[in-house]
């Protein structure tokens, strides 16, 4: 019975996921064109000088900038494009997942859906499956476009495995934000539009990580943010999927999704 | 056989009472009215029956099945017409009907769809968003009837429909009822309940005030009395059962629920020009029940 909900929801979400994917891919390509131009024009050398100044240098390091990340293709990709894929991917995930049920409530289409002969668990299964299909599509497409742009604009060889690990971290990050969005939407009593709030959560989490990177004394607060667990330091020795970071994402996603199911199966649909 | 059975069904929204100890039965093939003003608890009752809401206490069965445990099985045999017609963006009526039909595993519904849309004069190729509220209501009617349900739950079904469409809708309901479909008809418009229902439950502030057949209600209750006198009208009619006595120079009007023989005996003392004793309309019955209920509560 979930197949009809799945197909319907897939079509519904795909309109926005195609748009988000398009803009993410466009920014990836623009950034890589910018990378080639930077190398050609000598801006990189000027930026390396900035890295030596105390305040700006700290700030740049806070945003993950290293001298080698300005010259190496994969380093540059991780610096510029990962921010885009991670933030925009997480925004898509949190907005789409939080709308799965709440949109039915605030647009009052729930009155149609919930009066059909279908179990609540099947409704959520169908909707979540459609959401994850779209999320996978967004991550796969942006990863492929990222790979193609790296191949086109690279100035030297790069570690393809590291790129693959970076894509996995990005996917895991969007997964956990998707589960957070769903859980938050179900905790709200009456379905409401709270896109502003969920966008705030993603950006807030990102800046928590940035602040923890800039300020060594506040490093611990970074661990409140999922961004901290998505390792972006692709150029470091032995860069790989770390067990506890991967565990954090998978455990968090499963836990939040499980709680969401528990809540949804007993939730009053108030219209 | 009871199609719907409510047993002290109660729903609280936090501390706010939606419905309390609601009990009544709807029998097979009956057209059952459910009336009350806005906010009385009609929609809460319906949404609890459909398991949008979970009961705080009490229970209810439809087709002998528990509304919480067997919700999916129950809904296979129910057609629900909501008070407001809200559907998905950018869908045509046809797409909505196909989507709705996919939940009931009905493959061949073309004849049924054509019959319903022709009866209501609804164009299925149009986008739902482009439809007027009256036409959206028609969409709701068609989707509620498309799968040949055994029970129709209608929440304020005629709001937004013009009189001609209302008439077509009543005809459809009566045809469905002849085929054995039970109809649960919720409304705050008493005349439409009076028009088609066999029995009625009156709800106010989340509590059932009375469950009664329409016929009995009208028979056992107040009569409307209007008398014109050839001379000055009396200051009062001094017998039991006179309510809301209104007097002008040569006329009196009142509601009466006492012995009609006592009334005629009393009136024989006067020179009467004209007299009208009429059945009350449901609005008056409604007000009477409310008043009685309030008085009982005050005691």
């Amino acid at each position: 019975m979930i197949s009809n909900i799945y197909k319907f929801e897939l079509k519904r979400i795909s309109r926005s996921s195609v748009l988000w994917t398009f803009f993410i891919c466009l920014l990836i390509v623009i950034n890589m064109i910018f990378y080639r131009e930077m190398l050609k024009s000598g801006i990189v050398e000027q930026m390396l000088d900035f890295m030596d100044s105390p305040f700006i240098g700290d700030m740049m390091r806070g945003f993950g900038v290293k001298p080698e990340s300005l010259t190496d293709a994969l380093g540059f990709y991780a610096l510029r494009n990962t921010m885009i894929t991670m933030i925009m991917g997480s925004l898509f995930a949190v907005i789409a997942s939080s709308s799965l049920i709440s949109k039915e409530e605030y647009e009052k289409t729930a009155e149609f859906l919930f009066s059909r002969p279908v179990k609540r668990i099947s409704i959520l299964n169908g909707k979540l499956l459609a959401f994850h299909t779209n999320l996978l599509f967004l991550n796969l497409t942006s990863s492929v476009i990222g790979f193609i742009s790296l191949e086109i604009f690279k100035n030297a060889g790069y570690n393809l495995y590291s790129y693959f690990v970076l894509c996995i971290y990005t996917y895991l990050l969007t997964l956990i934000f998707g589960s957070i969005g769903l859980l938050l939407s179900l905790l709200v009593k009456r379905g409401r539009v709270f896109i502003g709030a969920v966008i705030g959560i993603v950006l807030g989490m990102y800046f928590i990580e940035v602040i923890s990177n800039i300020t060594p004394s506040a490093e611990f607060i970074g661990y409140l943010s999922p961004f901290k667990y998505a390792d972006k330091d692709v150029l470091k020795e032995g860069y790989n999927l770390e067990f506890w970071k991967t565990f954090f994402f998978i455990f968090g996603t499963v836990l939040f999704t499980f709680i969401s199911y528990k809540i949804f199966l007993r939730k009053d649909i108030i219209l | 056989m009871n199609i719907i059975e409510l047993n002290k069904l109660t729903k609280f929204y936090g501390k706010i009472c939606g419905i309390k100890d609601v009990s009544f039965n709807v029998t097979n093939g009956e057209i059952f009215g459910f009336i009350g003003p806005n906010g009385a608890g009609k929609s809460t009752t319906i949404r609890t029956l459909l398991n949008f809401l979970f009961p705080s206490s009490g229970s209810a069965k439809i087709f002998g099945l528990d509304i919480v445990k067997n919700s999916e099985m129950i809904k296979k045999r129910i057609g629900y017409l909501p008070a407001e017609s809200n559907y998905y963006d950018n869908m045509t009526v046809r797409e909505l009907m196909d989507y709705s039909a996919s939940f009931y595993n009905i493959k061949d519904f073309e004849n049924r769809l054509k019959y319903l849309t022709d009866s209501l004069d609804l164009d299925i190729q149009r986008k739902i968003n482009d439809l007027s509220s009256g036409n959206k209501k028609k969409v709701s009617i068609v989707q509620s009837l498309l799968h040949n349900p055994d029970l129709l739950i209608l929440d304020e079904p005629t709001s937004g429909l013009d009189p001609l469409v209302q008439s077509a809708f009543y005809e459809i309901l009566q045809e469905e009822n002849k085929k054995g479909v039970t109809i649960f008809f919720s409304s705050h418009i008493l005349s439409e309940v009076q028009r088609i229902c066999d029995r009625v439950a009156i709800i106010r502030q989340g509590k059932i005030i009375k469950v009664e057949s329409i016929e009995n209600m009208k028979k056992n209750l107040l009569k409307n009395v209007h008398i014109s006198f050839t001379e000055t009208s009396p200051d009062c009619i001094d017998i039991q059962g006179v309510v809301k006595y209104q007097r002008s120079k040569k006329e009196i009007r009142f509601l009466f629920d006492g012995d009609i023989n006592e009334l005629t005996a009393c009136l024989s003392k006067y020179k009467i020009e004209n007299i009208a004793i009429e059945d009350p309309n449901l609005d008056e019955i409604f007000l009477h029940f409310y008043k009685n209920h309030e008085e009982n509560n005050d005691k």
Side-chain angles (χ1 to χ4, degrees):
Chain A
M1 183 51 80
I2 65 166
S3 66
N4 57 347
I5 297 175
Y6 172 72
K7 279 183 209 159
F8 181 78
E9 207 63 34
L10 194 65
K11 199 175 156 191
R12 212 174 158 204
I13 305 173
S14 63
R15 290 184 203 130
S16 67
S17 77
V18 166
L19 267 180
W20 279 88
T21 307
F22 173 76
F23 282 112
I24 289 172
C25 293
L26 185 70
L27 287 170
I28 287 172
V29 174
I30 289 172
N31 270 329
M32 293 313 285
I33 293 170
F34 179 61
Y35 166 70
R36 177 174 274 180
E37 291 307 311
M38 261 179 46
L39 286 179
K40 275 188 194 165
S41 63
I43 293 175
V44 173
E45 282 74 27
Q46 290 172 25
M47 289 182 79
L48 289 175
D49 292 341
F50 274 126
M51 295 286 295
D52 294 333
S53 66
F55 179 71
I56 295 174
D58 287 345
M59 186 78 102
M60 288 173 84
R61 273 184 285 277
F63 282 94
V65 182
K66 286 177 174 179
E68 54 273 30
S69 63
L70 295 172
T71 51
D72 184 275
L74 184 58
F76 186 84
Y77 184 93
L79 175 67
R80 294 279 301 184
N81 285 339
T82 305
M83 197 170 85
I84 288 161
T85 53
M86 284 189 176
I87 292 180
M88 287 184 71
S90 299
L91 283 175
F92 166 76
V94 84
I95 292 169
S97 67
S98 66
S99 303
L100 288 176
I101 301 297
S102 64
K103 197 175 179 197
E104 297 272 4
E105 290 179 285
Y106 65 74
E107 289 185 353
K108 297 190 175 181
T109 49
E111 204 146 31
F112 171 82
L113 183 61
F114 286 78
S115 59
R116 302 305 104 184
V118 59
K119 287 192 171 85
R120 281 194 178 206
I121 196 163
S122 302
I123 292 177
L124 195 52
N125 284 344
K127 281 175 171 282
L128 264 184
L129 202 58
F131 163 72
H132 282 291
T133 306
N134 277 283
L135 191 62
L136 193 63
F137 164 78
L138 182 141
N139 276 282
L140 276 176
T141 311
S142 57
S143 298
V144 169
I145 295 294
F147 168 71
I148 294 169
S149 61
L150 271 170
E151 286 296 314
I152 293 172
F153 297 107
K154 68 185 177 188
N155 59 339
Y158 65 94
N159 188 336
L160 186 60
Y161 179 73
S162 294
Y163 175 68
F164 177 69
V165 169
L166 188 65
C167 293
I168 297 284
Y169 271 127
T170 308
Y171 179 52
L172 290 173
L173 183 71
T174 57
L175 273 182
I176 201 165
F177 272 115
S179 65
I180 289 170
L182 178 67
L183 179 59
L184 289 177
S185 72
L186 293 173
L187 287 172
V188 178
K189 264 213 165 162
R190 195 188 290 259
R192 284 190 204 137
V193 187
F194 52 89
I195 288 174
V198 288
I199 289 173
I201 287 169
V202 172
L203 296 180
M205 292 293 184
Y206 174 71
F207 284 109
I208 284 176
E209 195 225 353
V210 170
I211 290 165
S212 83
N213 288 345
I214 294 171
T215 323
S217 60
E219 197 191 343
F220 67 96
I221 66 158
Y223 290 98
L224 297 172
S225 164
F227 282 97
K228 186 79 176 173
Y229 300 85
D231 194 350
K232 297 166 278 291
D233 196 1
V234 281
L235 299 179
K236 76 178 176 190
E237 197 68 29
Y239 178 71
N240 207 336
L241 279 177
E242 286 179 45
F243 171 77
W244 69 275
K245 287 178 179 170
T246 311
F247 176 79
F248 165 83
F249 285 121
I250 292 172
F251 179 75
T253 303
V254 171
L255 179 69
F256 295 145
T257 307
F258 177 75
I259 297 170
S260 298
Y261 268 91
K262 280 277 180 199
I263 294 171
F264 178 67
L265 295 180
R266 293 295 303 177
K267 182 180 164 67
D268 281 337
I269 305 298
I270 299 172
L271 301 162
Chain B
M1 181 197 161
N2 288 329
I3 295 293
I4 304 177
E5 297 170 57
L6 279 80
N7 182 21
K8 293 190 170 182
L9 194 67
T10 300
K11 177 64 193 174
F12 277 88
Y13 299 101
K15 286 180 182 171
I16 300 163
C17 176
I19 51 170
K20 192 158 195 288
D21 294 334
V22 171
S23 300
F24 60 81
N25 298 326
V26 179
T27 56
N28 193 12
E30 186 176 25
I31 304 183
F32 188 88
F34 191 46
I35 56 175
N38 295 330
K42 301 188 297 295
S43 293
T44 297
T45 306
I46 289 173
R47 286 172 182 162
T48 311
L49 287 174
L50 292 170
N51 197 219
F52 291 14
L53 307 171
F54 286 85
S56 304
S57 64
S59 62
K61 287 181 178 177
I62 298 179
F63 307 120
L65 301 166
D66 185 86
I67 55 162
V68 176
K69 288 179 196 154
N70 306 106
S71 182
E72 186 199 5
M73 284 170 76
I74 291 169
K75 286 172 190 167
K76 278 183 186 163
R77 298 172 60 192
I78 286 183
Y80 171 53
L81 171 57
E84 289 174 39
S85 308
N86 297 292
Y87 296 107
Y88 302 98
D89 295 341
N90 295 317
M91 254 187 147
T92 63
V93 178
R94 172 84 226 190
E95 285 166 344
L96 182 81
M97 295 308 156
D98 288 341
Y99 186 43
S100 181
S102 71
F103 287 95
Y104 300 92
N105 287 326
I106 42 171
K107 300 277 183 277
D108 188 20
F109 55 90
E110 291 306 319
N111 289 342
R112 176 81 170 160
L113 182 62
K114 187 165 181 345
Y115 158 70
L116 292 169
T117 51
D118 285 353
S119 302
L120 296 166
D121 191 23
L122 177 66
D123 179 1
I124 58 169
Q125 303 307 331
R126 290 189 65 187
K127 287 213 164 183
I128 297 170
N129 276 3
D130 298 338
L131 298 177
S132 66
S133 62
N135 278 326
K136 280 184 184 168
K137 196 78 184 190
K138 291 180 191 174
V139 174
S140 293
I141 294 170
V142 175
Q143 64 80 24
S144 71
L145 288 161
L146 190 64
H147 54 284
N148 285 303
D150 296 323
L151 168 66
L152 268 174
I153 296 182
L154 314 173
D155 193 2
E156 308 283 358
T158 57
S159 63
L161 293 180
D162 66 49
L164 277 177
V165 182
Q166 276 190 27
S167 185
F169 173 61
Y170 286 133
E171 272 177 34
I172 292 173
L173 287 188
Q174 272 154 357
E175 273 178 42
E176 292 296 313
N177 186 237
K178 271 185 207 160
K179 287 195 286 183
V181 175
T182 307
I183 300 173
F184 183 82
F185 193 108
S186 166
S187 177
H188 70 279
I189 303 165
L190 300 159
S191 57
E192 63 182 18
V193 172
Q194 188 177 19
R195 182 170 170 177
I196 68 158
C197 293
D198 307 317
R199 284 195 307 145
V200 66
I202 299 175
I203 187 168
R204 190 199 181 205
Q205 292 176 351
K207 290 179 185 169
I208 296 292
I209 298 171
K210 186 87 177 169
V211 181
E212 184 80 275
S213 74
I214 297 272
E215 204 180 330
N216 270 350
M217 251 184 182
K218 289 163 75 176
K219 196 162 60 188
N220 297 336
L221 286 167
L222 300 152
K223 301 278 181 195
N224 252 329
V225 183
H226 179 198
I227 308 167
S228 307
F229 296 90
T230 49
E231 294 163 5
T232 313
S233 61
D235 288 337
C236 66
I237 299 288
D238 195 16
I239 54 170
Q240 265 201 337
V242 175
V243 184
K244 288 178 85 176
Y245 188 82
Q246 293 172 304
R247 176 178 177 264
S248 62
K249 196 177 176 187
K250 284 191 171 182
E251 281 186 7
I252 58 169
R253 284 172 185 272
F254 55 89
L255 299 172
F256 183 69
D257 67 349
D259 184 344
I260 201 84
N261 295 306
E262 229 177 285
L263 177 66
T264 49
C266 175
L267 291 175
S268 65
K269 292 185 283 187
Y270 305 99
K271 281 198 169 181
I272 292 172
E273 190 179 77
N274 197 11
I275 182 165
I277 301 175
E278 297 166 331
D279 278 338
N281 61 32
L282 268 172
D283 288 296
E284 285 158 337
I285 294 172
F286 205 33
L287 291 172
H288 172 76
F289 271 119
Y290 273 14
K291 206 175 153 205
N292 282 354
H293 190 70
E294 267 176 9
E295 280 167 5
N296 291 339
N297 281 350
D298 291 345
K299 282 171 196 170

